Amino acid sequence: MKPYSIILASVATACLALLAAGCASTGDSSTGGATSTKARADDGRIVEIGRASPAPDGGTSYRNPHMEKCWVAEGFDFNGYDTLYIAPTLSTAKFDAKNEEEVKVHELAKAKLVEELATLIRSRKIFADVVTDESALKPGAKTLKMENTITEFTKGGGAARYFVGLYGGGQPVLRVQGRMTDGTKPHFTFEARRSGVSAGARMTGAFMKDEDIQVQDIRSLALDLADFVSVVAGKFPRN
């Protein structure tokens, strides 16, 4: 088969896969047919944060289609705070620390996660201030602290993406666990994983830099998290 025929076949396969995924999502099989919480974002997007159910130890869990775990404390809705402080990203991920490229992309991911979260959450105007430097906290301000930890990280590789990138091979991997606390009291926790989520990463990822795909994944994660916070906070009208 000629190279261009291979590319066309790959694109066709991807389109079929995306179509199948879209059809499957309408049935909401993950919640047993129950209605998920949906809202309309300011830009017109329909945001789905999943079905809420009581958590075993109190609070509410959401079977969120975009995040693997979401928990909100009883009565908490992200409102009533002057400031959200997003702390520097921590990491417990195992990777080759002797590989300069691995280290570079890992450090980029840590920094970009804070940057993208701050930008998107700030745009929702839930908090009067969103800061990323602890020294910028105002005395006496009622502050919610957000801490994130990278628990899984892979830089990815263009060579592998050339052959099997459409199916996830060679894609960067990023898993993040996060929480928001008031003092020592947790109010919100989540876990989310991303790995080459954009169509570009899957179809033409062999010609993209690992860090560019990683940044796309971080923006996807930050957008979904900001959407979740906005819906629970009542900033987006529910459908």
Side-chain angles (χ1 to χ4, degrees):
M1 186 179 289
K2 295 181 179 180
Y4 65 82
S5 299
I6 295 174
I7 293 173
L8 288 174
S10 298
V11 171
T13 301
C15 291
L16 288 172
L18 290 171
L19 179 61
C23 293
S25 66
T26 59
D28 195 21
S29 60
S30 64
T31 59
T35 302
S36 294
T37 302
K38 295 182 180 181
R40 184 175 295 276
D42 294 338
D43 58 8
R45 290 178 300 112
I46 298 300
V47 174
E48 182 178 359
I49 66 170
R51 182 169 66 91
S53 60
D57 297 324
T60 304
S61 293
Y62 287 83
R63 297 186 68 175
N64 192 294
H66 308 293
M67 292 186 279
E68 282 148 344
K69 294 179 183 178
C70 264
W71 172 84
V72 178
E74 186 69 33
F76 179 72
D77 64 1
F78 300 98
N79 291 298
Y81 287 86
D82 304 313
T83 305
L84 174 67
Y85 165 50
I86 305 178
T89 307
L90 302 175
S91 179
T92 59
K94 295 181 180 179
F95 62 96
D96 186 359
K98 295 181 180 180
N99 185 317
E100 291 184 5
E101 284 300 310
E102 286 269 342
V103 172
K104 184 181 78 171
V105 180
H106 178 259
E107 291 302 309
L108 174 70
K110 290 170 64 177
K112 277 291 183 181
L113 183 61
V114 173
E115 179 184 320
E116 295 293 336
L117 284 171
T119 298
L120 282 164
I121 295 176
R122 188 178 289 123
S123 71
R124 306 306 172 81
K125 302 187 185 304
I126 299 166
F127 308 95
D129 289 310
V130 177
V131 302
T132 59
D133 184 347
E134 195 168 13
S135 66
L137 293 174
K138 298 176 182 177
K142 187 170 176 57
T143 301
L144 192 65
K145 181 179 182 180
M146 183 178 194
E147 299 170 283
N148 300 296
T149 302
I150 296 173
T151 59
E152 183 182 3
F153 168 83
T154 302
K155 180 181 75 68
R161 287 195 297 275
Y162 183 83
F163 294 103
V164 289
L166 185 63
Y167 309 101
Q171 300 291 350
V173 176
L174 187 75
R175 183 186 295 274
V176 177
Q177 291 180 349
R179 65 176 189 162
M180 291 186 185
T181 57
D182 181 352
T184 59
K185 185 177 180 181
H187 286 306
F188 169 61
T189 63
F190 77 92
E191 181 173 347
R193 183 181 186 274
R194 294 291 185 275
S195 181
V197 296
S198 73
R202 294 300 173 117
M203 295 182 189
T204 60
F207 309 103
M208 295 177 65
K209 294 180 179 178
D210 300 326
E211 51 264 47
D212 290 343
I213 298 176
Q214 191 81 257
V215 169
Q216 287 182 347
D217 285 348
I218 291 169
R219 285 176 180 159
S220 167
L221 190 158
L223 176 63
D224 288 331
L225 187 58
D227 282 346
F228 181 90
V229 172
S230 297
V231 174
V232 175
K235 293 296 181 179
F236 291 165
R238 302 196 182 196
N239 282 3

